[in-house]
Amino acid sequence: MSSYDVIVIGSGPGGYVCAIRCAQLGLKVACVEGRDTLGGTCLNVGCIPSKALLHASHMLHEAEHNFAEMGLKGKSPSVDWPQMQKYKTSTIDTNTKGIEFLFKKNKIDWLKGWGSIPEAGKVKVGDELHEAKSIIIASGSEPSSLPGVEVDEKTVVTSTGALELGKVPRSMAVIGAGVIGLELGSVYARLGAEVTVIEYLDAITPGMDPEVQKVFQRTLKKQGLKFVMGAAVQGTEAMKTKAKVTYKLRKDDSEHVLDADVVLVATGRKPYTDGLGLDTLGIEMTKRGQIAVNAHWETNVKGIYAIGDVIEGPMLAHKAEDEGMAAAEVIAGKHGHVNYGVIPGVIYTHPEVANVGETEATLKEAGRAYKVGKFSFMGNARAKANFAGDGFVKILADKETDRILGAHIIGPAAGDLIHEVCVAMEFGASAQDLAMTCHAHPTYSEAVREAALACGDGPIHM
Ligand code: NAI
């Protein structure tokens, strides 16, 4: 029986980051992973492959729509799907091998197989039992199921199947206008599929700033995506080469059927804890099936911790990473901390959508007085030159103190721009602090500064 200070179960962004930080802090660490490669859902069948397809399909979109106007002549490229799949696979490979390299560099043992916890202090992988002073569960999440919908990962697929379709479908029905549905829906729309998104609510991307929702949906419509809103999916029926989706419109209860070559089910994810033995251990769960933890990510069983998608909070790779680092620090006797008020969310469509902190709705609910500074990318020289004038930056600041409370961006590189606001928020900055910071010209970042100026005496270019 081998013994460790820490055994991490799961090698996704939460698990592998936690294992590396534990090793850096001088602990003897092993990480259990049952897949053939490290990196979990994010690297193998999530964030990374979808970003490769988003990038490739965006390039095609640019060639089809903007090249001629820039004076770039010639025929737009056609899609070589097998090659695009190879590009996606090589992107995955370089990233997963990178984690393997980091494990070796940090002397982390990879225990290959699926782990379970027969009792506190012990982890079983295959027939082998290992000892650990601390165990960290970082086993991630899996797609939630929907009544009446049977996934075969060929015709009716989750995000996993959608990343490796045999060919670009002529038509795709997407159930759920959340992050996954819109990212993958826009990939296939750009590659030529007729994409229809069926959403239960009346607005896309629930919880997001309503103005962003509106501009976002309008832009996606311009890109060819169709939307059926206020529609509850009743079920799907997979046939040989296509599938039927049945849905009911909430406004009049009328039933409709949509045919599509492929149906993508993207109605949320749920914690993945199968086979860990949590029941036997008596680990407390929340009402929503997540592992309950205290402020130090420790469960009710001493020495067993949990981080990432298996606990409460947004299911985001970077939230899991932060928890992984913080939990490692707690275990090493330091003061791990995660600022849950400053966790950015990004949707990697084109334009990108990003947000951090409070929304107007949460501020109103809390009865807090706030001001809004908004700036459109139409007033940003760089964005106009790059055909990226759709969208805006919105900063919310405290009405009295001017302290930045949140930001909502739709526009070019929104996923990068948001971090300027995140850093400002971490330092408790005011909108004026941001507005007084010199920003290079011409950059997209100037739009963030202009929105900060709009919280005070007003923006210059609007
Ligand atoms: P989601 O929770 O973002 O969206 C699901 C959507 O499906 C909601 O709009 C919901 O109203 C709708 N819906 C639910 N049941 C329905 C029904 N019966 N008929 C029609 N619509 C229905 O879930 P999604 O997109 O599957 O993503 C899962 C998780 O993965 C999220 O927590 C997300 O944050 C994370 N993720 C994050 C990414 C990123 O940060 N870029 C990328 C991919 C996933």
Side-chain angles (χ1 to χ4, degrees):
M1 187 186 312
S2 44
S3 294
Y4 295 92
D5 292 318
V6 181
I7 295 182
V8 183
I9 301 180
S11 74
Y16 84 74
V17 166
C18 181
I20 292 174
R21 180 55 105 225
C22 285
Q24 287 172 335
L25 295 171
L27 302 169
K28 188 176 176 214
V29 194
C31 181
V32 187
E33 176 55 63
R35 275 181 211 269
D36 294 337
T37 48
L38 299 170
T41 300
C42 174
L43 270 71
N44 289 284
V45 288
C47 327
I48 299 302
S50 64
K51 259 80 269 176
L53 296 183
L54 278 158
H55 179 64
S57 60
H58 175 56
M59 292 291 120
L60 176 67
H61 186 267
E62 286 292 283
E64 284 171 347
H65 295 87
N66 295 328
F67 273 19
E69 198 172 337
M70 285 188 276
L72 297 170
K73 290 175 85 176
K75 238 174 65 190
S76 294
S78 57
V79 178
D80 177 350
W81 183 240
Q83 177 55 34
M84 203 179 285
Q85 287 285 318
K86 271 195 209 154
Y87 154 61
K88 181 203 75 181
T89 307
S90 74
T91 310
I92 297 171
D93 288 349
T94 46
N95 280 284
T96 55
K97 288 207 175 87
I99 312 286
E100 234 177 294
F101 163 78
L102 291 172
F103 270 21
K104 282 189 190 129
K105 183 180 158 199
N106 288 285
K107 302 195 173 39
I108 297 163
D109 287 346
W110 174 3
L111 306 176
K112 294 187 183 179
W114 302 102
S116 61
I117 312 171
E119 60 184 283
K122 302 237 164 39
V123 173
K124 196 170 176 225
V125 184
D127 295 332
E128 284 185 20
L129 203 57
H130 305 269
E131 257 179 357
K133 288 182 202 135
S134 304
I135 297 167
I136 296 171
I137 302 170
S139 47
S141 59
E142 60 179 345
S144 338
S145 48
L146 198 60
V149 175
E150 205 169 309
V151 169
D152 59 17
E153 293 297 10
K154 285 195 172 68
T155 320
V156 180
V157 298
T158 65
S159 52
T160 306
L163 290 166
E164 49 186 29
L165 296 176
K167 58 179 187 203
V168 176
R170 267 172 306 150
S171 56
M172 178 181 252
V174 176
I175 310 177
V179 188
I180 294 182
L182 299 182
E183 284 188 355
L184 288 174
S186 59
V187 163
Y188 285 102
R190 289 173 199 161
L191 295 179
E194 189 175 302
V195 175
T196 308
V197 183
I198 306 168
E199 166 59 46
Y200 181 79
L201 299 171
D202 296 323
I204 64 171
T205 53
M208 194 173 278
D209 178 275
E211 280 186 274
V212 172
Q213 285 176 329
K214 245 187 172 157
V215 174
F216 190 25
Q217 190 173 2
R218 199 176 60 214
T219 318
L220 292 172
K221 275 185 186 165
K222 264 203 262 171
Q223 291 172 14
L225 278 89
K226 292 194 180 121
F227 288 90
V228 181
M229 304 303 291
V233 168
Q234 308 295 300
T236 56
E237 192 191 329
M239 290 161 296
K240 248 193 185 147
T241 54
K242 57 178 167 174
K244 273 186 194 328
V245 185
T246 311
Y247 61 88
K248 262 189 183 170
L249 288 181
R250 287 194 294 127
K251 62 177 183 204
D252 56 11
D253 226 22
S254 58
E255 193 165 285
H256 305 258
V257 178
L258 180 74
D259 275 356
D261 288 353
V262 171
V263 177
L264 165 61
V265 188
T267 50
R269 297 179 63 86
K270 59 176 184 200
Y272 178 70
T273 54
D274 288 1
L276 288 175
L278 301 187
D279 278 354
T280 324
L281 284 163
I283 287 199
E284 247 173 54
M285 306 295 282
T286 68
K287 278 189 205 124
R288 303 182 58 202
Q290 302 143 322
I291 298 176
V293 290
N294 65 18
H296 292 131
W297 301 279
E298 194 167 19
T299 66
N300 60 316
V301 178
K302 207 171 160 14
I304 301 183
Y305 298 76
I307 56 165
D309 287 7
V310 287
I311 67 170
E312 66 173 17
M315 289 185 165
L316 297 171
H318 42 282
K319 175 253 190 192
E321 286 180 37
D322 281 24
E323 289 173 343
M325 282 195 275
E329 277 156 23
V330 167
I331 289 167
K334 295 174 174 283
H335 300 283
H337 175 70
V338 175
N339 182 357
Y340 286 102
V342 187
I343 294 183
V346 179
I347 306 181
Y348 299 88
T349 41
H350 192 83
E352 287 184 351
V353 177
N355 59 73
V356 66
E358 305 287 350
T359 61
E360 290 194 67
T362 57
L363 289 171
K364 276 182 193 143
E365 207 180 294
R368 289 183 74 174
Y370 65 93
K371 51 189 173 177
V372 180
K374 206 176 144 192
F375 187 79
S376 161
F377 279 101
M378 284 314 276
N380 178 274
R382 185 71 178 277
K384 274 190 289 195
N386 294 359
F387 304 100
D390 281 344
F392 60 86
V393 179
K394 185 192 227 185
I395 291 180
L396 307 175
D398 188 283
K399 196 158 191 178
E400 294 300 314
T401 64
D402 196 38
R403 187 179 175 136
I404 301 171
L405 302 173
H408 304 272
I409 309 178
I410 175 163
D416 291 300
L417 297 182
I418 197 73
H419 295 99
E420 172 175 1
V421 186
C422 295
V423 173
M425 286 174 74
E426 278 290 346
F427 283 83
S430 64
Q432 196 183 9
D433 288 327
L434 241 184
M436 284 171 67
T437 307
C438 182
H439 283 62
H441 176 75
T443 57
Y444 297 139
S445 301
E446 287 175 290
V448 177
R449 182 197 203 176
E450 294 266 20
L453 278 165
C455 289
D457 294 334
I460 302 295
H461 295 92
M462 219 160 66

